[in-house]
């Protein structure tokens, strides 16, 4: 590989089978990396056991292979990375950038913005539950390759946010940042439902001294009611009887114009030659079939 290779990734949580919404993120991240001559990695985000569906990680990996997508490195499981999250939190605490917090959800104001109650110490008589990042007033704006300029300010969006939860589990925001750095990821391509998390992730990257990857947030598929088509909304698993059609639909959703009726192998060949990210609709959600 070249000295500064492009590295993309797909990072599903094993909370259900691969569905159309996650397939779109898989196909987009795959083509954006491969067409730049880069690598595509797969990370299973299994750090929240209560939300996991047994067997779904294996089924996601098998389904991706069946659809023609093979990662360039062995699959990384977040459940094997807990010590790294622990180290990152320890470093942040030692540098005064993170602190223990005794507040529970019911102590938070309706705005959801943490008022900093425990920033200067836990109030007398309370015990530490979670750990929060001390968010500064810095500017964490970024230019997304599809959504354009995003100027979210973590300080006013969420305030100091949780990086280790009261149940002892590490928060998604922390794990994703530590692992994108560990896997040398240079571009994050995922659904626009995660757009709002990105400024918090950039904030964590800066606090940990990491590089910030490029971001591309793809429109997400929504239901008639405008809800994200995802595992939680019982979206149908991908029809594995016709993998070429599933990939064709994902490409069409992303604004590409593949010829119909190609075999899976020919469709990938076409996609690797014709992928054009400038055709991706510049919006955050789309009703499938209305592309
Ligand atoms: N694990 C997250 C999900 O399945 C995605 C994380 C990411 O791509 O940053 O929604």
């Amino acid at each position: 590989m070249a000295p500064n290779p492009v590295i993309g990734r797909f990072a599903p949580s094993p909370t259900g089978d691969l569905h159309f919404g996650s397939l779109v993120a898989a196909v987009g991240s795959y083509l954006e990396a491969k067409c730049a001559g880069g690598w595509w990695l797969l990370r299973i985000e299994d750090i929240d056991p209560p939300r996991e569906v047994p067997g779904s990680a294996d089924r996601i990996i098998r389904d991706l292979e069946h659809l023609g997508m093979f990662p360039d490195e062995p699959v990384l499981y977040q459940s094997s990375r807990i010590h790294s999250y622990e180290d990152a939190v320890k470093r942040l605490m030692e540098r005064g950038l993170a602190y223990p917090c005794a507040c529970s959800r019911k102590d938070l104001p309706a705005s959801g913005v943490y008022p900093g109650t425990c920033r200067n110490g836990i109030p007398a008589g309370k015990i530490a539950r979670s750990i929060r990042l001390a968010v500064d007033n810095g500017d964490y704006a970024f230019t997304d390759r599809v959504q354009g300029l995003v100027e979210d300010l973590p300080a006013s969006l969420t305030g100091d946010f949780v990086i280790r939860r009261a149940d002892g589990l590490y928060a998604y925001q922390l794990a994703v940042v530590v692992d994108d750095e560990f896997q040398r990821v240079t571009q994050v391509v995922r659904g626009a439902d995660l757009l709002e998390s990105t400024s918090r992730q950039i904030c964590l990257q800066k606090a940990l001294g990491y590089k910030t990857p490029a971001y591309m947030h793809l429109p997400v598929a929504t239901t008639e009611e405008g809800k994200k088509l995802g595992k939680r909304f019982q979206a149908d698993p991908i029809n594995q009887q016709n993998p070429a059609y599933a990939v064709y639909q994902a490409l069409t959703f992303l604004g590409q114009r593949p010829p119909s009726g190609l075999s899976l192998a020919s469709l990938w060949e076409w996609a690797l030659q014709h992928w054009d990210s400038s055709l991706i609709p510049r919006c955050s959600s789309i009703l499938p079939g209305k592309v």
Side-chain angles (χ1 to χ4, degrees), residues 9-15 19 22 25 43-46 51 60 78 172 176-177 180 188-191 193-194 197 201 215 217 228 231-232:
R9 58 32 162 212
F10 175 52
S13 304
T15 52
H19 54 81
S22 43
R43 180 168 77 230
I44 297 291
E45 303 215 313
D46 54 349
R51 287 187 54 224
I60 290 172
Q78 287 195 322
Y172 155 69
V176 82
V177 161
D180 281 338
V188 170
V189 179
R190 59 187 177 192
D193 52 313
L194 290 165
S197 287
Q201 292 172 17
Y215 285 100
H217 286 85
K228 184 191 162 197
K231 289 163 270 201
R232 274 169 288 159

Side-chain angles (χ1 to χ4, degrees), residues 157 253 285:
L157 206 62
F253 183 85
S285 66

Side-chain angles (χ1 to χ4, degrees), residues 100-110 112-115 117-118 122-123 126-132 162 164-167:
C101 170
C103 301
S104 65
R105 203 163 295 208
K106 65 175 177 17
D107 299 319
L108 297 186
V113 180
Y114 184 67
T117 319
C118 299
I122 295 204
K126 301 255 187 168
I127 49 160
R129 294 164 51 86
S130 57
I131 296 178
R132 288 181 186 269
V162 171
R164 204 188 75 190
R165 299 171 8 183
D167 57 10

Side-chain angles (χ1 to χ4, degrees), residues 26-264:
V27 168
S29 60
Y30 181 86
L31 286 170
E32 193 64 12
K34 291 291 177 175
C35 292
W39 283 10
W40 180 73
L41 309 183
L42 179 57
R43 180 168 77 230
I44 297 291
E45 303 215 313
D46 54 349
I47 40 157
D48 195 350
R51 287 187 54 224
E52 276 160 37
V53 172
S56 63
D58 289 348
R59 287 197 296 276
I60 290 172
I61 297 168
R62 185 204 58 199
D63 288 354
L64 288 168
E65 289 178 356
H66 192 225
L67 291 159
M69 284 174 277
F70 295 84
D72 291 298
E73 278 186 357
V75 176
L76 184 72
Y77 290 84
Q78 287 195 322
S79 54
S80 72
R81 301 263 310 135
I82 306 299
H83 63 280
S84 302
Y85 311 144
E86 227 165 75
D87 283 355
V89 169
K90 201 163 144 238
R91 274 180 49 209
L92 292 168
M93 301 261 291
E94 281 166 2
R95 295 171 51 211
L97 298 173
Y99 61 88
C101 170
C103 301
S104 65
R105 203 163 295 208
K106 65 175 177 17
D107 299 319
L108 297 186
S111 67
V113 180
Y114 184 67
T117 319
C118 299
R119 216 191 228 231
N120 298 313
I122 295 204
K126 301 255 187 168
I127 49 160
R129 294 164 51 86
S130 57
I131 296 178
R132 288 181 186 269
L133 185 79
V135 173
D136 62 17
N137 281 315
D139 171 11
Y140 297 104
F142 63 98
T143 301
D144 188 88
R145 289 185 184 166
V146 165
Q147 309 294 333
L149 180 64
V150 179
E151 295 184 285
D152 290 340
L153 292 172
S156 46
L157 206 62
T158 59
D160 298 350
F161 57 91
V162 171
I163 53 175
R164 204 188 75 190
R165 299 171 8 183
D167 57 10
L169 297 176
Y170 288 91
Y172 155 69
Q173 308 293 354
L174 180 90
V176 82
V177 161
V178 170
D179 286 343
D180 281 338
E181 170 78 8
F182 175 69
Q183 294 189 286
R184 311 159 331 273
V185 168
T186 60
Q187 55 182 36
V188 170
V189 179
R190 59 187 177 192
D193 52 313
L194 290 165
L195 188 63
E196 214 208 69
S197 287
T198 308
S199 62
R200 267 172 285 166
Q201 292 172 17
I202 296 176
C203 188
L204 263 170
Q205 287 154 3
K206 302 251 191 276
L208 286 161
Y210 297 165
K211 285 205 238 16
T212 291
Y215 285 100
M216 176 185 273
H217 286 85
L218 305 171
V220 290
T222 53
T223 61
E224 292 280 354
E225 299 80 45
K227 291 200 173 126
K228 184 191 162 197
L229 197 67
K231 289 163 270 201
R232 274 169 288 159
F233 299 107
Q234 317 286 307
D236 292 337
I238 299 299
N239 177 2
Q240 292 290 339
Q241 300 309 314
N242 194 347
Y245 186 60
V247 173
Y248 172 87
Q249 281 182 308
L251 287 167
T252 309
F253 183 85
L254 288 170
Q256 314 301 300
R257 300 183 195 109
S260 56
L262 294 181
S263 68
L264 185 62

